[in-house]
């Protein structure tokens, strides 16, 4: 028998396989060897310690944005604004990192907290608009993405610097990077953030599955009317879910600001960390463990792709296509379920 | 600079920036009125821009001065076909429409840049040799004062966009096709009971949005960007989506919103020469369209309400 639980595992696995298969077909049709293409991808992600470190570095913010989108999803909200929350979180972290002078045990937590609060505020706006006025959160978060992009750029250029395109480096006491990790991974940009990411994943799992608050959030996600009838404050839960979601995405920004880069450049376009978080959350079935696994997969694909042009001559954008197709397949899970059931019937 | 001079410099630029937004927003109106949310407008524009540029580069010698027009038509067809993916996923496969739209955006950009690298060996194409040129519109530009503001040094595409908006209004409000399309977005079950094929209507609506998004993207590429790269279309599709909502899902409203957004963009482009405006930091003008959209949604500028069945897959036989 196919249980629901099995479907929940099978659908993402089949989607990934179909996505990779489609990628192979595309490579074939353009005259590339798909096997050497995927080998190049694998080597680009795990071939040596440097690539391994870079992969983990990429996975770190994905875990955060994936968790952020997933957490909002559980309460029935689509936080497409993780991108903007990443940017404001990044800016807040770097702002504290460059301007405050304090010992590390104060400075680093303070910078991380600032990122969380900035992201949380960016999530609070769509949250309260949804709760009080019923405004659809998707549109508000999209608009806030652009407001975040242009405002952070303006602040970098005219407040944090004098018409420069990047901020100063953050001081050592706010940095997440560590010499021993860099030496171990042949000077990749891997940093302590991955530990924080895994810790937050555990916290989110606990919050959603083991607390009353999490129960209420899931309940609101399933059925707002029933939840209201049962005496839950739906509006409060919606705001809370968006605030936490935004805050987590803000932490993703802190990873870039305090770990990977150590500064913030003015962005000409989006970082895509937030948008990729949507894919991560979907593939991970909106559970904490699923998100961590999906983040590893997408991080691997993204970093591995960088090796595909040199390793096999394949443009790295192939991976973007594969990821888009995986999202399509997961979103169309209805059809995959239907096909699985058909296959099972015919097999009998 | 006199007031007239200012108008003379602002209006053509505003029209120039609005045209792609108007086309794409009209597409969004069709799709959303049939009950299919289209976050993928951005991706449809990317596809349109890509196809428009590639066709233009390839066939500039064959078609000469007619190339940009044919490029737009080809982009329209290809984007309409591309949008079928969104239709299949969100109408037939009952995928979450927002998620499917996000996938469209990823896919269009991935495909566009992948093929660009494949065909041109680098991340961006060359500049096109046959873009649209601004021109004085015969007869109309001879009208005193108004002629020089509205009809000198403008792009024909801007006026075609405005004509399209009027046609879209006519189709949606004055033809039975338009009425049916709207009814499918408001109450699909009632429409189905009355013998309207909900699935077919939604497929058609999504493909219209694909076609218009393709026009919008290619017009943007052939008037403003002039080549294709990763960063050709950055947010114009989402801005068009904002125009759909700001315009309350009405074609003329969407056109007005798009014109206003184009105006806001033109202000940030030419503000340095205009008294009063030059003192306002550019960022306020850049984010104005987005802030206004949020305010509009929140009901501070008239409440805008989405078609009732938006974002709900229709499953025959369920209540």
């Amino acid at each position: 028998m196919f249980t629901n639980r099995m479907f929940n595992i099978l659908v993402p696995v089949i989607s990934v396989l179909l996505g990779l298969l489609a990628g192979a077909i595309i490579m074939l049709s353009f005259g590339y060897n798909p096997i050497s293409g995927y080998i190049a991808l694998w080597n680009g992600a795990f071939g040596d310690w440097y690539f391994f470190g870079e992969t983990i570095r990429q996975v770190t913010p994905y875990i955060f944005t994936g968790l952020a989108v997933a957490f909002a999803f559980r309460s029935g909200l689509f936080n497409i604004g993780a991108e903007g929350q990443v940017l404001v979180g990044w800016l807040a972290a770097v702002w504290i990192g460059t301007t405050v002078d304090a010992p590390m045990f104060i400075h680093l937590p303070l910078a991380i907290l600032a990122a969380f609060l900035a992201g949380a505020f960016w999530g609070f706006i769509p949250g309260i608009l949804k709760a009080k006025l019923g405004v659809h959160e998707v549109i508000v978060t999209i608009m806030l993405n652009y407001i975040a992009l242009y405002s952070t750029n303006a602040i970098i250029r005219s407040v944090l610097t004098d018409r420069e395109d990047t901020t100063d480096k953050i001081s050592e006491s706010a940095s997440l990077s560590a010499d021993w990790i860099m030496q171990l991974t042949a000077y990749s940009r891997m940093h302590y953030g991955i530990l924080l990411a895994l810790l937050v994943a555990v916290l989110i799992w606990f919050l959603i599955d083991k607390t009353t608050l999490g129960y209420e959030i899931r309940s609101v996600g399933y059925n707002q009317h029933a939840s209201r009838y049962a005496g839950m404050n739906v509006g409060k839960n919606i705001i809370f879910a968006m605030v936490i979601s935004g805050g987590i995405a803000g932490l993703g920004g802190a990873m870039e600001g305090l770990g990977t880069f150590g500064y913030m450049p003015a962005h000409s376009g989006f970082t895509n960390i937030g948008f990729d978080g949507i894919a991560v959350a979907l593939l991970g079935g909106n559970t904490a463990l699923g998100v961590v696994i999906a983040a590893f997969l997408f991080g691997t694909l993204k970093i591995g792709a960088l090796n595909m042009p040199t390793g096999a001559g394949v443009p790295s954008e192939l991976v973007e296509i594969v990821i888009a197709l995986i999202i399509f397949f997961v979103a169309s899970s209805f059809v995959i379920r239907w096909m699985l059931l058909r296959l099972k019937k015919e097999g009998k | 600079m006199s007031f007239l001079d200012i108008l003379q410099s602002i209006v053509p630029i505003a029209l120039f920036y609005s045209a792609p937004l108007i086309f794409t927003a009209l597409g969004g109106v069709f799709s959303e009125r049939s009950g299919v949310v289209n976050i993928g407008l951005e991706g449809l524009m990317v596809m349109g821009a890509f196809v428009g540029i590639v066709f233009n580069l390839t066939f500039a010698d064959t078609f000469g001065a007619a190339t940009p027009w044919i490029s737009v038509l080809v982009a329209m067809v290809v984007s309409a076909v591309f949008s079928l993916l969104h239709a299949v996923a969100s109408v037939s496969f009952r995928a979450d429409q927002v998620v499917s739209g996000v996938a469209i955006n990823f896919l269009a950009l991935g495909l566009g840049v992948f093929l660009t690298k494949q065909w041109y060996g680098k991340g961006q194409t060359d500049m096109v040799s046959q873009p649209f040129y601004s021109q004085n519109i015969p007869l109309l530009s001879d009208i005193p004062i108004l002629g020089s503001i509205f009809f000198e040094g403008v792009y024909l595409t801007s006026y075609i966009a405005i004509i399209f908006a009027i046609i879209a209004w006519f189709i949606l409000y004055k033809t039975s096709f338009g009425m049916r399309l709207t009814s499918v977005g408001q109450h699909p079950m009632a429409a189905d009971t009355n013998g309207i094929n909900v699935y077919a209507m939604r497929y058609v609506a999504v493909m219209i949005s694909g076609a218009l998004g393709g026009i919008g993207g290619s017009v943007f590429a052939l008037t403003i960007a002039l080549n294709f790269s990763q960063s050709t279309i950055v947010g114009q599709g989402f801005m068009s989506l904002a125009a759909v909502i700001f315009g309350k899902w009405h074609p003329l409203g969407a056109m007005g919103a798009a014109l206003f957004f184009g105006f806001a963009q033109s202000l940030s482009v030419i503000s340095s020469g205009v008294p009063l405006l030059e003192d306002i930091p550019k960022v306020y003008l850049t984010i104005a369209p987005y802030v206004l959209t949020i305010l509009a949604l929140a009901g501070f500028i008239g409440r805008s309400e989405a078609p009732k069945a938006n974002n709900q897959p229709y499953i025959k036989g369920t209540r």
Side-chain angles (χ1 to χ4, degrees), chain B residues 31-85:
Chain B
S31 167
E32 302 232 333
R33 274 191 163 244
S34 78
V36 181
V37 170
N38 205 340
I39 302 277
L41 287 178
E42 177 91 2
L44 297 171
M45 280 187 92
V46 170
M47 194 40 82
F50 170 71
V51 174
I53 292 290
V54 169
F55 185 88
N56 196 307
L57 284 170
T58 317
F59 291 100
D61 294 335
T62 322
F63 295 115
T67 317
W69 299 101
I70 302 172
S71 308
V72 169
L73 286 180
V74 173
M76 177 185 91
V77 172
V78 174
S79 289
V81 173
F82 182 64
S83 70
L84 263 178
L85 272 178

Side-chain angles (χ1 to χ4, degrees), chain B residues 281-300:
Chain B
K282 255 188 191 167
V283 60
Y284 293 116
L285 297 169
T286 325
I287 65 173
Y290 308 110
V291 176
L292 282 167
T293 306
I294 293 178
L295 292 178
L297 276 171
F300 297 119

Side-chain angles (χ1 to χ4, degrees), chain A residues 26 30 32 78 80 129 133 135 138-140 142-144 146-147 150-151 154 275-276 282 315-318 320-321 324 327-328 331-332 334-335, chain B residues 39 89 92-95 98-100 102-104 106-107 110-111 113-115 117-118 235 238 241-242 245 283 286-287 290-291 294 297-298 303:
Chain A
I26 294 173
F30 282 96
Y32 299 115
F78 194 172
I80 212 166
L129 287 174
L133 297 165
V135 183
V138 166
I139 309 295
V140 178
I142 288 175
M143 298 303 132
L144 282 172
Y146 286 95
I147 298 175
Y150 296 120
S151 315
F275 289 128
D276 291 342
L282 281 171
S316 56
E317 278 70 23
L318 180 86
E320 309 285 330
I321 301 175
I327 305 176
F328 262 122
S332 310
F334 160 71
V335 176
Chain B
I39 302 277
S92 299
F93 291 178
R94 300 176 200 168
V98 175
V99 173
S100 162
V102 170
I104 284 278
F106 275 118
L107 188 59
L111 269 178
V113 180
F114 177 83
L115 292 175
K117 285 192 177 164
Q118 190 66 38
F238 284 117
L241 186 69
I245 294 153
V283 60
T286 325
I287 65 173
Y290 308 110
V291 176
I294 293 178
L297 276 171
R303 188 127 178 82

Side-chain angles (χ1 to χ4, degrees), chain B residues 112-142:
Chain B
V113 180
F114 177 83
L115 292 175
T116 302
K117 285 192 177 164
Q118 190 66 38
W119 292 337
Y120 298 93
K122 51 190 174 176
Q124 62 188 58
T125 66
D126 301 323
M127 292 300 213
V128 291
S129 57
Q130 292 284 359
F132 285 110
Y133 292 105
S134 61
Q135 59 188 99
N136 297 344
I137 296 182
L139 292 178
L140 291 173
S141 57
D142 297 335

Side-chain angles (χ1 to χ4, degrees), chain A residues 75-140:
Chain A
S75 65
L77 299 166
F78 194 172
N79 180 11
I80 212 166
E83 190 64 45
Q85 292 145 10
V86 164
L87 287 170
V88 295
W90 187 340
L91 183 78
V94 169
W95 203 324
I96 298 290
T98 50
T99 53
V100 173
D101 203 17
M104 191 167 202
F105 71 96
I106 299 174
H107 199 181
L108 182 57
L110 190 68
I112 293 174
L113 181 69
F116 182 85
L117 290 177
F121 173 68
W122 224 243
F124 172 76
I125 300 170
I128 192 154
L129 287 174
K130 171 93 178 185
K132 300 289 175 199
L133 297 165
V135 183
H136 204 291
E137 76 281 0
V138 166
I139 309 295
V140 178

Side-chain angles (χ1 to χ4, degrees), chain B:
Chain B
M1 234 184 182
S2 75
F3 184 63
L4 211 61
D5 288 336
I6 293 172
L7 273 186
Q8 232 174 44
S9 54
I10 286 183
V11 170
I13 295 180
L15 284 172
F16 164 70
Y17 275 107
S18 320
L21 301 181
I22 297 176
F23 284 119
T24 313
L26 290 174
V29 168
F30 274 95
S31 167
E32 302 232 333
R33 274 191 163 244
S34 78
V36 181
V37 170
N38 205 340
I39 302 277
L41 287 178
E42 177 91 2
L44 297 171
M45 280 187 92
V46 170
M47 194 40 82
F50 170 71
V51 174
I53 292 290
V54 169
F55 185 88
N56 196 307
L57 284 170
T58 317
F59 291 100
D61 294 335
T62 322
F63 295 115
T67 317
W69 299 101
I70 302 172
S71 308
V72 169
L73 286 180
V74 173
M76 177 185 91
V77 172
V78 174
S79 289
V81 173
F82 182 64
S83 70
L84 263 178
L85 272 178
H86 183 49
V88 171
S90 55
V91 180
S92 299
F93 291 178
R94 300 176 200 168
D96 187 304
Q97 295 170 0
V98 175
V99 173
S100 162
V102 170
I104 284 278
N105 291 340
F106 275 118
L107 188 59
L109 197 59
L111 269 178
V113 180
F114 177 83
L115 292 175
T116 302
K117 285 192 177 164
Q118 190 66 38
W119 292 337
Y120 298 93
K122 51 190 174 176
Q124 62 188 58
T125 66
D126 301 323
M127 292 300 213
V128 291
S129 57
Q130 292 284 359
F132 285 110
Y133 292 105
S134 61
Q135 59 188 99
N136 297 344
I137 296 182
L139 292 178
L140 291 173
S141 57
D142 297 335
I143 304 170
I145 302 176
L146 285 182
S148 63
I149 295 174
F150 288 102
F151 300 110
E152 264 181 25
V154 294
Y155 289 85
L156 264 185
T157 46
S158 306
Y159 286 99
I160 295 175
I162 292 170
I163 294 167
F164 264 51
I166 296 168
I167 296 173
W169 166 80
F170 184 82
I171 291 176
L172 281 173
Y173 283 84
K174 301 290 170 192
T175 66
S176 54
F177 168 77
M179 303 279 188
R180 286 181 183 154
L181 195 137
T182 307
S183 76
V184 165
Q186 291 289 350
H187 202 312
M189 198 169 63
D192 195 9
T193 316
N194 279 303
I196 300 169
N197 187 337
V198 176
Y199 300 117
M201 283 313 261
R202 288 191 168 176
Y203 265 88
V204 170
V206 172
M207 285 184 77
I208 293 177
S209 82
L212 287 166
I215 298 180
S218 53
V219 165
F220 182 88
L222 293 171
T223 54
I224 300 173
L226 306 187
N227 73 349
F228 180 82
S229 71
Q230 181 112 33
S231 54
T232 300
I233 302 288
V234 275
Q236 286 81 6
F238 284 117
M239 207 190 260
S240 308
L241 186 69
V244 173
I245 294 153
F246 197 45
K248 299 179 187 173
W249 286 271
H250 189 291
L252 299 180
M255 178 193 77
L259 281 171
F260 175 75
F261 291 167
F263 173 69
Q265 277 194 318
S266 66
L267 284 184
S268 62
V269 172
I270 60 160
S271 63
S272 47
V274 182
L276 283 179
L277 280 181
E278 58 193 347
D279 302 330
I280 303 175
K282 255 188 191 167
V283 60
Y284 293 116
L285 297 169
T286 325
I287 65 173
Y290 308 110
V291 176
L292 282 167
T293 306
I294 293 178
L295 292 178
L297 276 171
F300 297 119
I301 315 174
R303 188 127 178 82
S304 48
E305 268 186 61
K308 284 208 177 60
N310 244 4
N311 210 7
Q312 293 166 9
Y314 177 61
I315 304 166
K316 224 176 160 82
T318 55
R319 303 184 205 227

